[in-house]
Amino acid sequence: DNSYRDVEDISVYVKFRAGTADVEGKKVPRYFLAWTTTPWTLPANKALAVHPKEYYVEVYLPATGEVLVFAKKLLFKLFPDGAVPHQIVRDDLQGSDLAGEQFEPLYPHAASGDNKKDFKVYSADFVTMEDGTGIVHIAPAFGEVDHQLGSREGLTIETTVDSAGKFNELVPDWQ
């Protein structure tokens, strides 16, 4: 009896606010677009990871008036021809160019610390271009590569769930 079986799991795309971009002389909101298969770890987010040698694009969406940043190789997967009106603002950003940029925390509790290394983009060779956006959300308390990057960079490690897998006092709205 083989007890192995494939299961469908949820994944989410998440926008992380990263200042503004200039589109035809107008300042518009700019976001890093990340993808995760572990959305329950988002309250513990402390960083984003990009591949240092891959190229990234800034895409303006006229319908929402915002710019999204994600991997150039995934442009047509995320925005198939004609499916979503968009304008490429930049397509020459290497991941190493994005490293060090700051972004806003997703949740108010996360911003309570004073670690200046949190909420930045870091280069990481483990970021792939097969699925998602080429930008990985990093929650150092969860997952081996997240923990390694967090430890290497000195990020805050917050465990936002208890031993029963329920949100703890760090996430009081969902506790």
Side-chain angles (χ1 to χ4, degrees):
D1 181 19
N2 183 353
S3 61
Y4 180 83
R5 64 186 169 108
D6 286 328
V7 295
E8 290 289 323
D9 208 355
I10 62 168
S11 66
V12 295
Y13 293 91
V14 183
K15 297 186 308 186
F16 290 84
R17 180 73 189 259
T20 59
D22 184 41
V23 178
E24 298 172 352
K26 184 171 67 169
K27 296 283 184 199
V28 299
R30 180 177 179 258
Y31 297 89
F32 290 113
L33 185 63
W35 179 72
T36 182
T37 57
T38 57
W40 58 273
T41 65
L42 286 167
N45 171 269
K46 294 297 174 188
L48 296 173
V50 295
H51 196 287
K53 295 179 180 165
E54 294 290 345
Y55 282 91
Y56 288 79
V57 294
E58 289 184 344
V59 174
Y60 176 64
L61 302 178
T64 58
E66 62 194 15
V67 166
L68 301 179
V69 179
F70 55 88
K72 185 175 182 176
K73 283 184 179 175
L74 295 164
L75 176 63
F76 295 108
K77 194 171 191 177
L78 292 167
F79 293 91
D81 280 339
V84 178
H86 64 278
Q87 170 189 342
I88 297 173
V89 178
R90 288 192 68 181
D91 66 354
D92 60 347
L93 293 165
Q94 263 192 299
S96 58
D97 298 330
L98 299 173
E101 282 198 36
Q102 293 183 299
F103 63 91
E104 295 176 15
L106 285 178
Y107 301 100
H109 83 273
S112 63
D114 60 358
N115 187 345
K116 303 285 187 240
K117 296 181 177 189
D118 291 344
F119 310 113
K120 289 186 178 180
V121 176
Y122 291 92
S123 293
D125 289 337
F126 63 77
V127 177
T128 67
M129 299 294 131
E130 283 77 50
D131 293 312
T133 65
I135 300 178
V136 176
H137 124 78
I138 301 296
F142 305 105
E144 183 178 356
V145 295
D146 294 45
H147 187 75
Q148 288 171 352
L149 187 144
S151 296
R152 181 184 78 223
E153 300 296 342
L155 302 177
T156 302
I157 297 175
E158 285 183 334
T159 303
T160 51
V161 295
D162 62 22
S163 59
K166 297 182 184 216
F167 287 111
N168 64 21
E169 68 282 353
L170 291 176
V171 194
D173 291 344
W174 299 338
Q175 190 174 10

